[in-house]
Amino acid sequence: MMKFRFRRQGNDPQREKIKQDLFAFNKTVEHGFPNQPSALAYDPKLQLMAIGTKSGAIKVYGAPGVEFTGLHRETATVTQLYFLHGQGRILSLLDDNTLHLWEIGQKEHCSQLEEVRGFTLPGRPGIESTNATRVTVLLPKLSCDLLVVGTEGGGVHFLELPSFTLQNKSLFQDEIMQSSVPEEYKCGKSLGPVESLQEHPQLPDKILIGYSRGLVVLWDLQNRHADNVFLGKQQLESLVWVRTADSFVSSHSDGGYMVWSVSSSTPCTHEPVTATIPYGPFPCKAVNKILWRTTESGAPLVLFSGGMPRASYGDRHCLTILQDSQHVTLDFTSRVIDFFTIHCTDRDKEYDDPSALVVLLEEELVVIDLQTAGWPTIPAPYLAPLHSSAITCSYHISNVPVKLWERVVSAGLQQCPLQTHTNWPIRGGKNLAPDPKQHELLLTGHEDGTVRFWDASGVSLRPLYRLSTANIFQTECDHNDSLTQAGEEEWPPFRKVGCFDPYSDDPRLGIQKICLCKYSGKLVVAGTAGQVVVLYLCDDKSDHMIDVATVDLLQDREGFTWKGHDRLPPKSGSVLFAPGFQAVVLVQCMPPAAVTAVTLHAEWNLIAFGTSHGFGLFDYHRRSPVLARCTLHPNDSLAMEGPLSRVKSLKKSLRQSFRRIRKSRVSGKKRVLVSSPSSKVQEANAQLAEQDAEVTPVQRRIEPRSADDSLSGVVRCLCFADTFLRDGTHHGPTMWAGTNSGCVYAYALDVPSQEKFSEQGVEALLGKEIQLMHRAPVVSIAVLDGRGNPLPEPYEVSRDLAKAPDMQGSHSVLIASEEQFKVFMLPKVSAKTKFKLTAHEGCRVRKVALVNFSSVASEDYSENGLVCLTNLGDIHIFSIPALRPQMRYDCIRKEDISGIASCVFTKTGQGFYLISPSEYERFSLSARVITEPLCQVEVDRPHDPSELSICTTLPPQANGTHKTPSGENKSAGDAEGVFDEMQSPLSSPALDSPNSSADITLDTTGELTMEDVKDFLVTVDEAENNLRNMTEEDGRPPGILIN
Amino acid sequence: MNKNHRVPSSRSLSAVEVKSKFGAEFRRFSLDRSKPGRFDEFYGLLQHVHRIPNVDLLVGYADVHGDLLPINNDDNYHKAISTAAPLLRLFLQRKEEADYSAFGTDSLTRKKSPAALAAVLLRPDANRKKPPVIISLPKDFRPVSSIIDVDILPETHRRVRLYKHGQEKPLGFYIRDGSSVRVTPQGLEKVPGIFISRLVPGGLAESTGLLAVNDEVLEVNGIEVAGKSLDQVTDMMIANSHNLIITVKPANQRNNVVRNSNSGGGAASGSSGRSSDSGASFYSYSMPGATAITPSHIIQNFRPEEVESDDEDEDLVIEAGGDARHAPRPAAGATASYSMPSLPRYEPHLNLRHSNGAMATSASVGSLSGPDKGLERSLERRNLEEDGTVITL
């Protein structure tokens, strides 16, 4: 114990310097598709695309490799995004009704995205979610000096850019109503919120204002005068100018669109030129957005989202492309968030001539080539939909040999012949990152039985090849093809686009473990139903039978009946395989529990696999099982329940979620204004719930693990090694297996020489069994050579790719359990060094890897380290074999269990983990090996407002986590104090953001009364009036900023 | 086994002078300090030099502190030899006449003179008022808990060591989050803390009487828990569960050890006044039979320099020869050495009070290992049945 108290590492300055040169923690880039995207914008001049998300992140993409990320301090949905044309500035509107200005700035030759300032329209925040001054639409003028803001109350306000100074020339509905709207249209009703604002394509002083009720006004900013009024009678959804400016198009909630002609001679237009409901005559859903693009070839291209017949296809997510007689209804698997076309914006040109359509869906980005006949899709070089089927495991291979790389790439190219070869249309910015020195592959296993191969060498994760294992099994969903065939003739002319498919055909197909030999192209993939598939990489297509072998891991253990799922029946007869990885052998574990560990030694032609019942060894060359060993504890009943214990965990998770709901209600209630009797009751209830929580505090039982613990037989790790197991003079092939109960089995293998593979079988003899005293699950086993380095991979030595391991000095084995690391000398298995992580830190090991760290100071210097991710989400680095702690970094939030579970490390000190179902965060632990975006965007900004900016940006954090509470927006104006004063009597003390109101409305949905509605109506007027009073008052400084 | 030999230091003379007393008779002889041999050889030697070949003996010796301690196995025999300086004084008694109460701390010093000791030990039967209560020897006890580091801790804190190792009894306690009030330069401050929330009746924690509900946990095995979450502390305790040392701030501060008091008055309140972690002869028992009897093909990973913290933490390695799966050698070995001939003779007695608090040092509450061992043995057998080669400690 004294040892602990005085345990202190000597701070050797020299060692500290070396550590600095070796280790550095950086979160470098996010791969994949942003989770829950909510807004889209495009700058045709800079050719940059921006995507906003529900967590408040903004991601900007240009040419492949050009990406920036910004994160709002408030975790609020980004509802709208706009580029200031060509300036490298982005305007964002959050659903807490705040406006934010972002800038792409230069830092050390690289560009970065920074928030410059924020703004909130003044108003009465008491009834936040239905605020009259809630912003509905924005229009930054092309000239970039003025921002037009449309609100829920129907007012239009004008802000100077980039200072966000409110000009006192707001336009209110009654001004329109009184001056230009004919009496018969008024009917005493308001015009409703502003739905659309569009700048005149030729006259910058004129804007088109569309109100929800259907009225559209062409407003002259200079003269404060309505040039034209269009008396639309259908509820308006969107507006778009026709390039020639002689007409515009409006889309409506009844599923139709109208073309209106604009002429100076008729100030008041009653009827449109044409009105069409494309999918009528039966009731249709709203056309949310419409685009009208002129083409040189004649007929304009009409693109709109929605508008599907309500009854028959109301649930489809569609976007229609219309040109002349051509009509395609793109049928997506997820909601359309927004879309834009890439077209000619040069004012001198006569036509739009769109080249591409970019559609942001909830789960993926689809780009359509509009210049090629048939409108094919263009594969995206980034924003890969990682989660097209849920990711179940991941595996990383660094330094992939060129030969394997090329074969995988060519196999992938042959898979998708339908894509066009048009270049990626979004080409803004310059990628400054050097070309990756080596190829890296990231393999993801998915729930639908596919394995996807990604190019992880650089900043953008690119899909290379997709392998499906479902085709070797008989599943119930094989008859899909005929169904889709029949659907060809239907109206509307649907076309399935996109690859997001959240529905798994059969959960048993799910991939659990992957192991690839990068030198021989042999791959082992193991799944949920105990299937272990051995695949060979083959450049030609093939039609062959698969050899099936069944391995009984229970080994005649009596008294056990498997209650879980059945095995997947393999297809009888031969199966056709495309070029690529082709299944050769299927080993079926019985009982068919999920495979928990798998490993491959291509030089010995052996695979090892483990489940919750035991492990097996299989010679795939001779197609013969070598060994099966049951690891089940006789008292373990849960092991027979199937994939994890459903009963137990469900009960637990239900209880936890109830607790969470209750907690969130309690915290939600605190923000409620205590006024009505009902809310008092609620408050009392909340207090009761709080007390209740105090009566039964969370407590934890302190009890050591016992041999009887459930699922103790689960095989957690397997490894092959050529080492000394039986005596110190003869080394040979060995296989190691570690279980959940802290037991390690080591087998000596008798592998025949290469020439005799076919004649002679492999034999396995149990060499040693080690029972770790603390019984914690064994997470990883690795053998170290005489110099303490990890043994090289199979083929690395025989192909001169790695130094031969030191077979002179004595080998040792590193066993990492959930609680501690231990190095044992071989063959005696005497403990040499150890580190008790849990006893010291209270955290448990989740993932470990042996990593080679090379120094930034010297090309030749490198150290091997043990990298460990704990259940608290922090990463520790230890030296091997001394097991001295070197570094500790916080990496993942400890609550983010799936993030921790998904983490993989590379051999060179990088890592990946899922920050959402669709995104990997890439991080680096090495000071030398870092893959991060380095890019530059040339921007043209008239005057630099950064002098004014007081705003500092926070480094973005994964998962939308914010370290600071929703911060005050720094204002640029000098009138802050004045307005604060004005605002204070109106504002309620306990409200932080309108976002919080979501909780309240959720909780009280049932209790909305007529009074509430009336209150709301009154306050809308009041707010409008307030705003007007303020803006009209003399002497008040115009810059009004609040938060 | 015998990686476990504690090799006597070679600093002193190579021979140990032995003075052995049985009844009124003395025998003097010497032993080679470096090669003490095994206890049964020594036992045979005693019987031989006293010429009492068929008498069952109880062997005791006076240690450096003047305590009368038993010699009944290899470990305490070696301890006795290695600590003899230079004379080893032995007291032999007939087993059937033995007065077990004489063993323990202070048992000799209080009497001051060997003569008085002899008077106690060799008191004629006629002087006894009632037949002696036979309680088990210390070797049949295993320490289950102790209070340690009393001298270095504040009086308001208590450091408790729980010996879970080899026990069937559960540790038997729960912890929870809570808050405690600390005095800081800024005034009183409420800080989060970890507290004992429940003791399982019959569990180790409850049976020691050293821990109570609402005691605040300050340290686990020397590591402060401040700033750690409940789950972290839980994991730390479980990781240390074989030898758990918890520093608590007892909710009930009335039973605190008062330093500088002359007597071991604390014994009455269930806590010991002595700070020792107990004599080495006791300590070595914390590894029960299993170590001593592990057959020779089971290797202990033993590092002498880390004996203190590690000897409960040894992983078991089984060398499986080609025939290991078929030959249940470990089973045979285990069974043989578990069958100790003297076991059934001792009745379970838990009351140590009549020893005048002398036993309070380390075994606050002793538990007989007899039944435990029986359980262990059956457990052992169950495990062995499951697979010929697996042994769990």
Side-chain angles (χ1 to χ4, degrees), chain A residues 678-689:
Chain A
S678 67
S679 66
K680 270 180 192 153
V681 172
Q682 279 166 10
E683 201 188 34
N685 279 339
Q687 270 176 355
L688 264 182

Side-chain angles (χ1 to χ4, degrees), chain A residues 877-909:
Chain A
I877 304 174
F878 298 89
S879 62
I880 54 168
L883 296 181
R884 294 231 170 75
Q886 303 294 310
M887 282 293 171
R888 198 201 75 88
Y889 304 106
D890 289 319
C891 181
I892 311 176
R893 288 178 308 124
K894 69 176 178 196
E895 296 82 9
D896 185 7
I897 293 160
S898 63
I900 294 172
S902 64
C903 182
V904 283
F905 293 106
T906 78
K907 289 234 161 84
T908 52

